[in-house]
Amino acid sequence: MAKLLLVAHRDRVRRPDPALFHRLSRALIPDNIEPYPPLILHEPGLDIGVFNPNSAVLVQNSSVCLGFLVDTGGEWWRTLAPRPDGSYALFRSDDRRVELVSDACASRTLVCDDG
């Protein structure tokens, strides 16, 4: 199963070393499987690492869906858009906000740390 780390920061120029995401991938994924290389996304003020990504991971601009959407034709990636049907964790962002959205049953864990 894919995992994701999203880091939002005020420094809009900083870019973390990609080796950090590779080290995190090895630490997060069980040692009995060989994970796919992490998918790394950068936007000003935002860094996203998707660990062990697969074909089910949806990416649109700087938004990511882990899980299943009933209808992928909607605008699931837009911040403040209605919550779509499915079983997922959405990580939506634009140039003004970051939004974490779980499906109605909270079937996937989202953890936020503002520290």
Side-chain angles (χ1 to χ4, degrees):
M1 178 179 289
K3 300 180 184 320
L4 185 142
L5 173 69
L6 182 148
V7 180
H9 47 86
R10 290 190 174 106
D11 183 348
R12 299 180 62 82
V13 178
R14 182 187 77 166
R15 291 182 70 143
D17 182 356
L20 168 69
F21 289 105
H22 289 278
R23 285 192 308 272
L24 284 171
S25 178
R26 292 306 306 158
L28 291 171
I29 303 302
D31 60 4
N32 63 337
I33 65 169
E34 186 62 35
Y36 294 112
L39 170 64
I40 302 169
L41 305 170
H42 298 287
E43 293 290 331
L46 186 71
D47 299 303
I48 300 171
V50 181
F51 307 106
N52 200 33
N54 56 52
S55 61
V57 174
L58 299 177
V59 177
Q60 177 76 34
N61 303 326
S62 59
S63 296
V64 180
C65 173
L66 299 182
F68 173 75
L69 296 178
V70 173
D71 177 18
T72 58
E75 294 184 330
W76 64 266
W77 66 90
R78 294 203 188 280
T79 58
L80 305 177
R83 184 172 43 201
D85 288 334
S87 173
Y88 55 78
L90 296 180
F91 302 82
R92 306 195 284 201
S93 63
D94 58 29
D95 61 344
R96 297 191 52 170
R97 58 184 61 91
V98 172
E99 183 179 49
L100 307 179
V101 181
S102 183
D103 60 77
C105 294
S107 63
R108 296 189 182 242
T109 303
L110 291 169
V111 178
C112 180
D113 182 355
D114 62 2

